[in-house]
Amino acid sequence: MSPGMAKAEVINTLGNPDGFKKVGDYEVFTYTHRLVTGWAWDRADYHIILKDGKVTEYGAGEVRVKDMNTILLVPLRLPRH
């Protein structure tokens, strides 16, 4: 994302937004629960503000982190009955 990017470029890059709002001359695209990094447990909401079809501002909102104290045990063999 970069300032001045066209609305069509935003949609082409990020897909259709999960939310949309129009306030006066501004449009706000919201993309919810998107990966912040390559790790599956840190996700955030992104907001992109456009005026006259061009990006003026963008950034992450609330960052969600999964509980890292969870242990998952996967058996290598099924028990015999």
Side-chain angles (χ1 to χ4, degrees):
M1 218 43 46
S2 60
M5 188 178 231
K7 179 179 180 176
E9 290 177 282
V10 172
I11 293 171
N12 192 37
T13 302
L14 298 175
N16 289 322
D18 299 312
F20 171 84
K21 185 175 187 176
K22 182 139 173 99
V23 180
D25 294 337
Y26 292 90
E27 295 175 284
V28 181
F29 286 0
T30 302
Y31 292 87
T32 58
H33 204 61
R34 302 293 172 113
L35 286 175
V36 175
T37 65
W39 302 99
W41 56 78
D42 53 351
R43 294 177 174 265
D45 296 340
Y46 287 93
H47 307 283
I48 299 166
I49 300 171
L50 303 106
K51 183 176 182 184
D52 300 324
K54 304 277 184 190
V55 173
T56 59
E57 296 180 53
Y58 62 93
E62 176 187 353
V63 175
R64 298 180 186 95
V65 179
K66 283 188 179 177
D67 182 10
M68 296 302 296
N69 296 323
T70 302
I71 298 174
L72 175 64
L73 299 175
V74 179
L76 296 177
R77 279 188 243 176
L78 294 174
R80 294 180 191 221
H81 291 287

